[in-house]
Amino acid sequence: MNKQTCDLLLTAERILTGTEQRIVGPIAIAISDGVIRKVDTLSDVEALYDAKKRIDLGNALLMPGLINAHTHVPMTFLRGFADDLPLMEWLTQHIFPIEAKLTDRIVSLGAKLGMYEMMRSGTTAFVDSYLLEENVLAAAQSMGMRCVGGEAVFAFDTPAYAGWDGVEQLYRNLAEKYPQGGLVQVALMPHSVYTTSDERLKQTMSLAEELDLMLHIHLSESAGEVAQSKELHQGRRPITYANDMGLLNERTILAHMVEMTDDEIELVSHSGAGIVHNPVSNLKLASGFARTKEMLEAGISVALGTDGACSNNTLDMFETMKLAAILAKGCSLDATAVPAATALRMATVESARIFRIPGLGVLAEGSPADIIALDLNEPNMCPIYNELSHAVYAASGKDCVMTMVKGKVLYDHGKYTDGSYTDVFAEMQDLVAWVRSAR
Amino acid sequence: MNKQTCDLLLTAERILTGTEQRIVGPIAIAISDGVIRKVDTLSDVEALYDAKKRIDLGNALLMPGLINAHTHVPMTFLRGFADDLPLMEWLTQHIFPIEAKLTDRIVSLGAKLGMYEMMRSGTTAFVDSYLLEENVLAAAQSMGMRCVGGEAVFAFDTPAYAGWDGVEQLYRNLAEKYPQGGLVQVALMPHSVYTTSDERLKQTMSLAEELDLMLHIHLSESAGEVAQSKELHQGRRPITYANDMGLLNERTILAHMVEMTDDEIELVSHSGAGIVHNPVSNLKLASGFARTKEMLEAGISVALGTDGACSNNTLDMFETMKLAAILAKGCSLDATAVPAATALRMATVESARIFRIPGLGVLAEGSPADIIALDLNEPNMCPIYNELSHAVYAASGKDCVMTMVKGKVLYDHGKYTDGSYTDVFAEMQDLVAWVRSAR
């Protein structure tokens, strides 16, 4: 049989494919044009492929890159600026006054720092919404991170747009610039049911349908939001109201959903909408406990996100994956709830849903080569009975030693391959004085 | 003024002393004979001390080593062996059958691996209870880790002792070998109220009093334990029963305490006993939520622990510290509960209580030189508004680059200074096949 040539052969001792495929012994992945061509034992892959280049990761665990399904990555510029505060005091006295003075430069810098943090901690793709979001999309494109982003849509004007015409024009331009299936994509991102209007919500869904984009919105994050929704929307809880606005369907991914009645779980399940669970943020902001176990039992697609670095304060998806698994057990008093395999699926395949890219979230033939490697020489990864258990319960994002997106190495054993980390780091530190004075 | 000579000068950019002392600018700590002599700005310390040796940590944050107040460190040999199982199935079908075949070698190996993991992740001291615990104490002494350990005391015999005479003799020997105030110390560790007896509990407290040792016991870990206690102990809940056995006083540290009524919180508060909160284990084993905020408000000393690597599955006290802070917020729906300063105090000063060593848990003149350094060049530590926030909310144990106990560097930028890590790591991997066959 004639051997084929691949761009890259990635080898390591162990693998979690995320599929039914179990491979024991030295592993290889053949990659060409950013796509996985073959995943198997080293000997089987070498029998089929000659490689232009090889990367041997040694005693490492290859696995799908984690996907952060809800964040506001520019907010890393405010990491640790204000903690331990009631939500409204935190927002109105600390966050909003600074966000009112946002510039393209700050958004871009924050996005870059956040992306370095994500690639450093094993995240290869993220879903983002913020102000002046075009800077995030551009930064993701230039840094090689997979991203679905959307300008936050409010009922009021922002530095990025004026009126619905402005929103619409902005989104049309972005959708043209970042088409479906690319490294960087666009989704409609109305902010919430308490910062928009009946009309604005209907407009966003209508535009999402016309442009065939997904739609992502914060929903039912806290008891406070439920109370506010009842007041603003003729007694309707956020989920009922969102349903009335035509938001609940397969095009929609709902962030948080901490407050859900049994009926609402059933409603969302039947609608086909997905949910993003953000356990660290929900605890830190004292929003409460999402009913993850019940959501999953109802057949809802539940993804995982970190939320912004202000309410977390990291973008470490390994931390989020572990907390999602153990918090569901604590809440349900059932140690079998959200087992490791489910938690990993939430952080990969379910989080990939909004990207609409076949094979994203697993390591299989035809999947994008979005791959990470965990160092197995660390004490917390020893001994090994079960790689899956270690990935979910023992690993931290800091155990990641290599991060690859679309076949390109972004992070490799302490080095960020794009070469600008030091500059971004220094510029970000310089922002501290400005932020302090801007409050 | 004549300058004094110190053994070591440790310098870095930033510090969290854990005391009221705030120091801005380049920092130095002068250390002699394992004790901190001076903590101040570099220029002030250099004006007072000539150093025999200097270690410059550069852009790092010095802080007190974290103290793991409840663990079973040999259990690292079973990390990831069995997860996502109901407690009784997990214990009886997976853990106990293997523990029945424990040997000194396995306990020693597990302890060493666990200690490497702790020093790697910024923990300088730990409180441990297990079978054949003498191996843990010996390993801690030889590896330079600070430890309070105690053989688990049951009503039945174990490989370490037969009858109360055996327990007593074992503890008298250990207490003589590891006297109070040393690097390694001993405390009485009756296992629980469901594995002992009235007599055994009274005997342990009596021996603790005679030898002037602290006493540490698992208590009120789950609803199941409460139900069992009522059955075993004439309708008494674990805390009432423990009180009746004379266990609740200032000599006692109680692990878990997940199930507490208001009255029990008041009872413990008045008794002077301390509590160790183990949030990761409590969630993973589906034990539930300790009422941390209420305990603290009642004036109880609440320490933090990881529990064993089987029910966590790491020994990372940074993870535990963050979870303690955010879980208390989520449980109380109060974002101001357990702020960063409280969480750090729990993981240091409160966790130090059982050691009875003045100054342990803070960086101050006269404190033991148990010091760690976090790398501030990592993206998750950028930008810096507040070092305390980063230590609690943004750091992982993997951000630790230097760990020192009693003035001796145990871990330094990827190297374990005792030189036997590779051997322990390899031996531990070899245990995997034995464990699988032993079940």
Side-chain angles (χ1 to χ4, degrees), chain A residues 114 116 138 147 296 392 395 439:
Chain A
Y116 285 123
C147 168
L296 291 166
V392 174
R439 178 158 46 176

Side-chain angles (χ1 to χ4, degrees), chain A residues 59 76-81 83-86 113 116-117 120 280 283-289 312-314 319 322-323 326-327 329-331 333-336 338-340 376-386 389-390 393-394 396 398-399 416 421 425 428-429 432 435-436, chain B residues 59 76-81 83-86 113 116-117 120 280 283-289 312-314 319 322-323 326-327 329-331 333-336 338-340 376-386 389-390 393-394 396 398-399 416 421 425 428-429 432 435-436:
Chain A
N59 190 28
T76 51
F77 87 99
L78 293 174
R79 187 201 318 275
F81 174 62
D83 303 298
D84 304 325
L85 295 170
L113 178 68
Y116 285 123
E117 183 184 355
R120 168 71 184 88
V280 179
L283 292 181
K284 183 159 187 274
L285 296 178
S287 303
F289 303 91
N312 184 307
N313 294 351
T314 77
E319 177 190 43
K322 177 173 180 177
L323 185 56
I326 66 175
L327 194 59
K329 301 181 204 325
C331 286
L333 296 181
D334 173 5
T336 71
V338 186
L376 295 177
N377 290 319
E378 289 281 322
N380 58 307
M381 303 296 266
C382 176
I384 304 186
Y385 299 98
N386 181 336
S389 168
H390 281 11
Y393 295 122
S396 128
K398 288 291 169 84
D399 291 311
Y416 303 88
Y421 177 66
F425 188 88
M428 184 57 74
Q429 297 285 20
V432 169
V435 169
R436 287 203 167 117
Chain B
N59 190 27
T76 51
F77 88 98
L78 292 174
R79 189 202 315 275
F81 174 61
D83 304 297
D84 305 325
L85 295 169
L113 179 68
Y116 285 124
E117 184 184 353
R120 168 70 184 90
V280 178
L283 292 181
K284 183 157 186 277
L285 296 178
S287 304
F289 303 90
N312 185 306
N313 294 350
T314 77
E319 177 189 43
K322 177 173 179 178
L323 185 56
I326 66 175
L327 194 59
K329 302 181 205 320
C331 287
L333 296 180
D334 172 6
T336 71
V338 186
L376 295 178
N377 290 320
E378 289 281 323
N380 58 307
M381 303 297 265
C382 176
I384 305 184
Y385 298 98
N386 180 337
S389 168
H390 280 12
Y393 294 122
S396 129
K398 289 293 171 80
D399 291 310
Y416 303 89
Y421 177 67
F425 187 89
M428 184 57 73
Q429 297 285 18
V432 169
V435 169
R436 287 204 166 116

Side-chain angles (χ1 to χ4, degrees), chain A residues 109-393:
Chain A
L109 265 182
K112 286 176 183 171
L113 178 68
M115 280 188 265
Y116 285 123
E117 183 184 355
M118 287 192 283
M119 61 179 74
R120 168 71 184 88
S121 54
T123 291
T124 50
F126 66 104
V127 180
D128 197 78
S129 181
Y130 202 57
L131 304 159
L132 302 170
E133 181 75 9
E134 192 160 4
N135 297 285
V136 178
L137 304 179
Q141 187 76 52
S142 76
M143 288 173 66
M145 283 283 287
R146 196 176 296 283
C147 168
V148 166
E151 183 76 26
V153 178
F154 301 96
F156 44 87
D157 294 347
T158 78
Y161 55 75
W164 174 249
D165 288 351
V167 174
E168 196 177 336
Q169 197 51 54
L170 176 63
Y171 266 97
R172 287 186 190 280
N173 291 345
L174 291 177
E176 197 180 320
K177 191 165 177 187
Y178 300 105
Q180 196 189 320
L183 183 73
V184 174
Q185 302 181 76
V186 178
L188 261 292
M189 304 224 188
H191 178 263
S192 66
V193 296
Y194 57 92
T195 52
T196 50
S197 63
D198 291 15
E199 190 189 12
R200 193 53 47 98
L201 290 174
K202 289 175 183 167
Q203 286 164 326
T204 56
M205 180 51 85
S206 168
L207 186 60
E209 283 166 351
E210 183 201 328
L211 301 175
D212 188 20
L213 298 177
M214 297 289 279
L215 184 146
H216 184 53
I217 185 169
H218 297 90
L219 197 68
S220 214
E221 183 172 355
S222 66
E225 180 183 332
V226 174
Q228 196 182 14
S229 173
K230 285 175 161 176
E231 226 176 277
L232 289 173
H233 307 304
Q234 301 82 42
R236 286 172 289 182
R237 291 167 55 91
I239 298 170
T240 306
Y241 172 67
N243 192 37
D244 289 349
M245 295 303 111
L247 290 188
L248 300 193
N249 60 55
E250 293 190 345
R251 196 177 289 287
T252 310
I253 309 284
L254 308 162
H256 297 301
M257 301 295 268
V258 170
E259 291 289 330
M260 284 184 94
T261 63
D262 290 348
D263 287 350
E264 288 170 341
I265 289 178
E266 203 184 316
L267 173 64
V268 172
S269 171
H270 283 112
S271 76
I275 287 177
V276 188
H277 175 40
N278 300 275
V280 179
S281 171
N282 293 162
L283 292 181
K284 183 159 187 274
L285 296 178
S287 303
F289 303 91
R291 299 174 62 192
T292 321
K293 186 191 172 196
E294 289 87 346
M295 293 172 185
L296 291 166
E297 283 172 354
I300 298 173
S301 163
V302 183
L304 295 177
T306 60
D307 210 348
C310 268
S311 59
N312 184 307
N313 294 351
T314 77
L315 303 175
D316 184 343
M317 279 293 293
F318 279 92
E319 177 190 43
T320 287
M321 181 165 61
K322 177 173 180 177
L323 185 56
I326 66 175
L327 194 59
K329 301 181 204 325
C331 286
S332 61
L333 296 181
D334 173 5
T336 71
V338 186
T342 302
L344 179 63
R345 199 185 72 230
M346 291 163 79
T348 53
V349 175
E350 304 300 344
S351 289
R353 194 161 181 257
I354 197 172
F355 289 82
R356 300 186 290 184
I357 293 178
L360 186 65
V362 299
L363 302 185
E365 254 182 72
S367 287
D370 291 12
I371 306 169
I372 61 172
L374 302 184
D375 186 358
L376 295 177
N377 290 319
E378 289 281 322
N380 58 307
M381 303 296 266
C382 176
I384 304 186
Y385 299 98
N386 181 336
E387 294 88 350
L388 176 61
S389 168
H390 281 11
V392 174
Y393 295 122

